[in-house]
Amino acid sequence: MKSTRNFILALAMIMVSGFSFSQTKLLRFPDIHGDEVVFCYAGDIWKASTSGGLATRLTAHPGQEIFPKFSPDGNWIAFTGQYDGDEQVYVIPAKGGTPKQLTYYPASGPLPPRWGYDNQVYGWSNDGKSVLFRSVRDANGGSVETGLYTVNVEGGLPIKLAMPTSGAGDFSPDGGKMVYSPKFRDFRHWKRYEGGWAQNLFIIDLNSLETKPVSHTKRTERDPMWFGDKIYFVSDRTGTLNLFKFDPGSGSVDQITQSTDWDIRWPSADNKNRIVYEFAGELKVIDVSNNQITDISIEVPDDGLSMRPSRYSAKRNIEDWSLSPKGNRALFVARGDVFTTPIEKGSTRNLTNTSGIHERGATWSPDGTTIAFISDKSGEDQIFTIDQLGKGEPKAISDPLKEAFFGLKWSPDGKYIAFSAAKGNLYLLNVKTKSLKVADRSLFGSIGDFTWSPNSDYIAYSKNNTSRFASIHIYSVAESKARQVTSDYFEESEPVWDPNGDYLYYFSNRQFAPQISTLEWNFATNKMTGIFGMALRPGLPNPFAPESDEVEIEKGEEGSDDDKKKGSSSETGKKIEFQGLMDRVFKVPVEASNYNNLLAVEGKVLYQEGGPFFYGRGSGVESELKYYDFKARKENTVTKGLGSYNTSFDGKKIMIAERGKYYLANISPNVKDKKMISTSGLMVDRIPAEEWENIFWEVWRRYRDYFYVENMHGYDWKAIGDQYASLLPHVAHRSGLNYVISEMISELNAGHAYIIGGDFEIPERPRVALPGAMFELDPKSGKYRIAKIFKGENEEGKYRSPLTEVGVDANVGDYVLAVDGEELNGND
């Protein structure tokens, strides 16, 4: 009996240890009321005791529910939710229940992470009747000049507070004042910022609009909380975001927390004596009456829906694509895996199938047997090859290189692979011996447009000079020597060889016919690029010399066959005659325009023509694939509306990307025989946790390799990477990964260092038309009225209100309106 009892006790202990408590991290946007805290985790809202323990889920929607805030009486929680696809203000009972929507104006977004979210909930009015939130709705299409609003929980239109622009804010205890930040940059990836957008706090009297500063420094003051006679906020004036206390009466400032490693994030007060905040992914509570800090150890029993491994279609994640040497199959790199797909018959092959490894830059060997690609399997970029049928395992043919590289290109004889690296080196890898050497180096940017000669003896490319203009260079493999072959005075790029190796074609910006601004007498250049070529040996004719009808001479009457062949490069291995090369330059007879993506095939040069560059919008000009026919001396259009194209190795087929679809076609005018290449078989076995870790470290490496100064602004980048990598095991949603990465890169104290994208399950955003007017509630009549009509319009007559003002009704003080000239009555 005793032994049985001991066995049961031992079994119970095993069961308890098997279900032991585990601290969950990446708990975000917390709030506190009484003995409960509410927070966001993995895109949902959860609630837990201030003593810690298991959390209770309050929302479980595919979109994100964020920024939860308790009502003053603790009975309700307001939050920002994505239930109908965009971000709106909702409330739910604190014990859980059906969300009630309070705002309906269409939200701007989805916004880049650095811009935050529209309709962001900040709290409540003191009487608990209204929810305080920040909105983009009056920002004239922007995202940073936002305003604070209140919306009644019983319904009605939001009311804008008196401040013209505002980020975070909190009411004074009597409700007559507010502490707020006129600027909003809470999500910017830039710690210790000291520029013009540094946030300062002010106290504003909501009646007189008198303002007073709150403890300004050259850095950030944010997240204001006003309770009692003190104002609390966080500031990174000490290097890390810490909690401070401000006395409006005396103007004194006291530092409350002393963190030197992790920031105090998203603090929120109970308006009595406690503040909850996020610290290193966990929650802490500070009692401001004695500055006592208490850790809250919380376990979130999440079902890990966003972490669930799944079979996933990667057809929307294509990053590289090309054709096999003869155009029989297509090569795709999608979501980090390497695929080949048939043009018509057969199955798609996933050659790598590695969720936690990023394979990229795949390229087919000229003989069609092998595919080379870049992999970060070792933790650094490395070149691998694999049999094109997928037989066997990938084989490393290079050592890991502690530098990002790209653009693998086989030599036509299959002996070498050339590639370019982040620091400007152009490398040459011997496929058989695995030896690596530097062919050339650019001191100003990378070398990206290199291309092999048909006989594998040379590589042509453009490289920036000290003038910062790019010039064409040619590297000789036999001599291990690079030569500049065009001048320093024009921007030249994208050299390509003709199939026989007789000529080299390239783009050159030489057309200067500037446009004039209609606003000021300023110049803007457009359609500068022409197509040029050079004969690589003396005696080669200009393909576009003036034509002349002449007498045909019978063979043998004038010179021998050997004389006629003189200058021809049909003999393999013929060397380039660099002497006098610039004297043998000619122009392809097409008008200068906005060209890119130059290629040469037998008897033709292909190129894309697009519109000019505009800052903030597209050009409105469809990209066209064109070619110039040497024999007919005529320009032809192959297709319009394409994104890009490439050719098979033999130059007989082209692959075209158009609006997310891929086609195989012949090179012909107005091609109509396109065959769509199916991407439905691009399936990956996705394990989110493995992908997230790989993404994190790849971002870390890219900043290491591409940051503009090698000392990383003096920070220990490895230590920073390790610090934030400690949070990776706790990421349960893509928003959590983006947050961890953004916090990491923020440590570099650099601007325009952003992260965007990722898998977010959000319902389709609603498409809403607006009337071109702002409405408000008339307190006298209890009816809505027009507060403002937007009369402006753009040059095409769009975005104009359909409403027109006829007059003013003196009884109500309202506009009398007409639609299309017909006056509206009270029933409209």
Side-chain angles (χ1 to χ4, degrees):
M1 188 72 176
K2 186 176 179 180
S3 60
T4 303
R5 187 183 302 113
N6 290 341
F7 173 77
I8 293 174
L9 288 173
L11 181 61
M13 292 178 65
I14 292 172
M15 292 177 66
V16 169
S17 64
F19 293 97
S20 61
F21 179 79
S22 174
Q23 165 70 56
T24 304
K25 294 190 178 185
L26 289 181
L27 313 180
R28 304 191 62 197
F29 313 123
D31 192 34
I32 185 170
H33 184 277
D35 59 357
E36 292 182 322
V37 290
V38 65
F39 56 91
C40 177
Y41 175 73
D44 292 324
I45 293 175
W46 299 76
K47 186 175 66 172
S49 168
T50 53
S51 300
L54 278 177
T56 301
R57 186 197 294 270
L58 297 180
T59 67
H61 184 261
Q64 293 192 76
E65 297 86 50
I66 44 183
F67 311 119
K69 294 288 183 179
F70 281 110
S71 61
D73 61 9
N75 293 329
W76 296 89
I77 295 172
F79 63 96
T80 303
Q82 293 177 323
Y83 286 98
D84 292 316
D86 66 351
E87 297 75 36
Q88 300 294 341
V89 176
Y90 293 83
V91 292
I92 54 171
K95 294 182 179 180
T98 303
K100 176 183 177 181
Q101 186 172 347
L102 300 185
T103 60
Y104 293 88
Y105 190 93
S108 295
L111 300 172
R114 64 184 183 275
W115 290 357
Y117 299 85
D118 200 357
N119 295 323
Q120 177 182 346
V121 169
Y122 275 112
W124 292 71
S125 60
N126 292 340
D127 58 11
K129 294 182 179 180
S130 299
V131 175
L132 176 69
F133 68 99
R134 182 189 58 81
S135 177
V136 182
R137 64 186 63 200
D138 293 329
N140 297 319
S143 62
V144 290
E145 294 184 353
T146 60
L148 281 178
Y149 296 75
T150 58
V151 60
N152 195 295
V153 293
E154 298 300 325
L157 288 180
I159 300 173
K160 189 176 189 296
L161 297 184
M163 304 83 75
T165 64
S166 183
D170 194 22
F171 288 104
S172 63
D174 63 7
K177 298 179 181 179
M178 172 167 276
V179 56
Y180 82 106
S181 169
K183 297 176 181 177
F184 169 74
R185 60 177 305 276
D186 293 352
F187 292 88
R188 292 277 166 169
H189 311 158
W190 194 344
K191 298 178 187 286
R192 298 171 291 282
Y193 174 75
E194 298 179 1
W197 269 95
Q199 293 161 284
N200 292 319
L201 298 177
F202 292 85
I203 297 172
I204 184 170
D205 188 304
L206 296 175
N207 294 312
S208 68
L209 303 186
E210 178 186 4
T211 60
K212 296 180 180 179
V214 175
S215 184
H216 289 183
T217 66
K218 63 183 179 180
R219 287 188 177 168
T220 289
E221 287 79 46
R222 53 170 289 180
D223 303 321
M225 297 158 285
W226 195 337
F227 53 98
D229 59 352
K230 302 294 188 295
I231 291 173
Y232 290 81
F233 63 93
V234 296
S235 173
D236 60 358
R237 62 187 68 186
T238 61
T240 307
L241 285 174
N242 274 291
L243 186 65
F244 290 80
K245 178 176 68 175
F246 175 75
D247 185 335
S250 65
S252 63
V253 180
D254 296 316
Q255 184 173 343
I256 306 302
T257 61
Q258 310 292 330
S259 175
T260 59
D261 49 4
W262 295 94
D263 288 322
I264 307 297
R265 297 306 310 266
W266 302 106
S268 187
D270 66 358
N271 293 323
K272 292 182 180 179
N273 65 332
R274 291 177 302 168
I275 296 173
V276 64
Y277 58 89
E278 174 193 341
F279 187 85
E282 303 178 18
L283 300 186
K284 294 179 181 288
V285 173
I286 182 169
D287 187 327
V288 297
S289 63
N290 56 20
N291 292 344
Q292 183 70 38
I293 297 175
T294 303
D295 297 336
I296 308 178
S297 187
I298 296 173
E299 181 178 12
V300 179
D302 182 39
D303 59 357
L305 183 63
S306 298
M307 302 177 67
R308 185 179 66 86
S310 62
R311 187 81 168 156
Y312 185 92
S313 174
K315 65 181 181 180
R316 293 185 179 179
N317 307 120
I318 294 171
E319 52 187 296
D320 284 318
W321 52 274
S322 59
L323 278 171
S324 63
K326 294 186 178 181
N328 309 103
R329 291 180 72 89
L331 176 63
F332 289 99
V333 177
R335 206 176 183 94
D337 281 348
V338 178
F339 300 83
T340 71
T341 66
I343 301 303
E344 291 186 86
K345 301 175 183 178
S347 60
T348 297
R349 302 175 189 137
N350 187 335
L351 302 181
T352 53
N353 200 21
T354 52
S355 184
I357 301 171
H358 187 189
E359 286 98 14
R360 58 186 179 84
T363 179
W364 226 303
S365 64
D367 63 7
T369 63
T370 307
I371 291 171
F373 59 90
I374 303 167
S375 173
D376 59 7
K377 179 180 180 180
S378 66
E380 296 286 353
D381 283 351
Q382 192 173 3
I383 301 176
F384 285 77
T385 58
I386 191 169
D387 182 272
Q388 65 93 18
L389 292 173
K391 296 178 180 179
E393 295 296 317
K395 298 177 182 178
I397 61 169
S398 77
D399 294 327
L401 191 66
K402 290 189 176 181
E403 180 182 10
F405 59 87
F406 54 90
L408 305 186
K409 292 185 181 178
W410 292 84
S411 60
D413 61 11
K415 294 180 180 179
Y416 296 97
I417 292 177
F419 61 93
S420 184
K423 304 300 183 185
N425 285 342
L426 177 62
Y427 286 102
L428 202 58
L429 173 69
N430 187 305
V431 174
K432 184 176 181 180
T433 66
K434 302 181 182 180
S435 61
L436 187 68
K437 68 177 180 179
V438 176
D440 200 355
R441 185 182 184 191
S442 170
L443 298 177
F444 309 102
S446 301
I447 299 172
D449 56 1
F450 51 95
T451 177
W452 285 94
S453 65
N455 58 16
S456 302
D457 288 346
Y458 301 98
I459 304 173
Y461 51 94
S462 68
K463 186 177 79 166
N464 289 328
N465 303 308
T466 53
S467 65
R468 302 303 174 97
F469 281 132
S471 300
I472 304 300
H473 292 66
I474 295 178
Y475 173 79
S476 168
V477 176
E479 299 175 274
S480 297
K481 182 178 180 180
R483 296 176 175 90
Q484 181 175 329
V485 297
T486 63
S487 75
D488 291 335
Y489 303 113
F490 297 100
E491 180 79 12
E492 286 148 342
S493 61
E494 295 197 39
V496 294
W497 308 81
D498 85 302
N500 294 320
D502 291 346
Y503 303 96
L504 187 72
Y505 297 94
Y506 57 94
F507 290 136
S508 182
N509 292 355
R510 301 190 183 202
Q511 181 65 51
F512 299 96
Q515 297 173 263
I516 304 298
S517 168
T518 57
L519 179 64
E520 298 172 322
W521 192 259
N522 284 340
F523 297 105
T525 55
N526 184 27
K527 296 189 175 183
M528 296 179 63
T529 306
I531 304 174
F532 291 80
M534 56 174 61
L536 298 175
R537 282 166 296 281
L540 289 170
N542 179 346
F544 311 111
E547 295 180 294
S548 176
D549 295 329
E550 299 293 344
V551 175
E552 292 186 9
I553 306 300
E554 294 293 332
K555 185 181 289 189
E557 288 187 19
E558 185 176 299
S560 67
D561 288 345
D562 289 339
D563 291 335
K564 291 181 180 180
K565 291 179 181 179
K566 191 174 183 180
S568 171
S569 67
S570 58
E571 308 163 54
T572 59
K574 191 83 172 184
K575 293 184 178 181
I576 296 173
E577 181 57 63
F578 290 99
Q579 185 71 30
L581 191 56
M582 280 299 296
D583 296 329
R584 303 193 294 272
V585 170
F586 54 87
K587 187 179 187 299
V588 178
V590 295
E591 291 290 329
S593 189
N594 301 301
Y595 295 129
N596 70 298
N597 210 349
L598 182 66
L599 286 174
V601 297
E602 188 68 41
K604 302 177 181 70
V605 287
L606 292 88
Y607 44 92
Q608 278 183 254
E609 182 179 13
F613 172 77
F614 287 90
Y615 190 77
R617 71 170 178 87
S619 68
V621 178
E622 276 194 320
S623 176
E624 297 185 30
L625 175 58
K626 296 183 174 183
Y627 71 87
Y628 189 84
D629 189 308
F630 292 178
K631 185 176 182 180
R633 297 207 174 188
K634 180 182 177 182
E635 184 179 59
N636 297 277
T637 298
V638 179
T639 187
K640 297 181 180 181
L642 76 159
S644 188
Y645 80 99
N646 56 48
T647 66
S648 57
F649 186 76
D650 60 12
K652 295 181 180 180
K653 300 287 185 180
I654 55 172
M655 185 174 174
I656 302 168
E658 291 182 2
R659 299 176 179 87
K661 296 181 179 179
Y662 300 85
Y663 301 89
L664 183 74
N666 294 311
I667 303 172
S668 60
N670 302 312
V671 62
K672 294 182 176 61
D673 62 343
K674 295 186 297 185
K675 296 178 181 178
M676 192 170 78
I677 302 170
S678 175
T679 56
S680 61
L682 303 182
M683 304 295 294
V684 300
D685 295 319
R686 176 177 178 255
I687 303 175
E690 292 182 357
E691 284 190 347
W692 294 338
E693 182 176 8
N694 183 268
I695 291 168
F696 175 90
W697 284 114
E698 185 167 7
V699 171
W700 181 89
R701 293 197 305 272
R702 293 301 172 261
Y703 273 85
R704 176 199 66 184
D705 297 339
Y706 285 102
F707 201 62
Y708 76 105
V709 286
E710 291 189 5
N711 73 345
M712 309 300 286
H713 277 179
Y715 297 107
D716 186 338
W717 188 230
K718 180 62 168 64
I720 289 172
D722 290 339
Q723 176 184 356
Y724 286 96
S726 67
L727 296 175
L728 288 178
H730 306 279
V731 172
H733 188 269
R734 181 55 197 256
S735 63
L737 176 67
N738 284 4
Y739 171 62
V740 172
I741 293 175
S742 68
E743 287 293 289
M744 175 181 71
I745 63 180
S746 293
E747 297 288 355
L748 289 174
N749 187 224
H752 298 278
Y754 303 134
I755 180 172
I756 190 171
D759 296 320
F760 288 91
E761 187 178 356
I762 302 175
E764 184 178 355
R765 296 185 79 84
R767 301 174 67 88
V768 181
L770 297 174
M774 293 179 64
F775 294 81
E776 66 183 12
L777 182 64
D778 176 35
K780 292 182 180 180
S781 65
K783 297 181 179 180
Y784 292 113
R785 66 183 180 185
I786 302 293
K788 180 181 180 182
I789 299 176
F790 298 103
K791 299 179 181 179
E793 60 185 59
N794 66 8
E795 60 209 16
E796 287 139 357
K798 296 180 180 178
Y799 315 121
R800 179 177 59 84
S801 174
L803 303 172
T804 55
E805 178 184 347
V806 176
V808 176
D809 185 335
N811 295 322
V812 188
D814 195 7
Y815 289 104
V816 178
L817 303 171
V819 175
D820 295 332
E822 183 177 346
E823 188 172 324
L824 301 177
N825 60 41
N827 296 321
D828 291 319

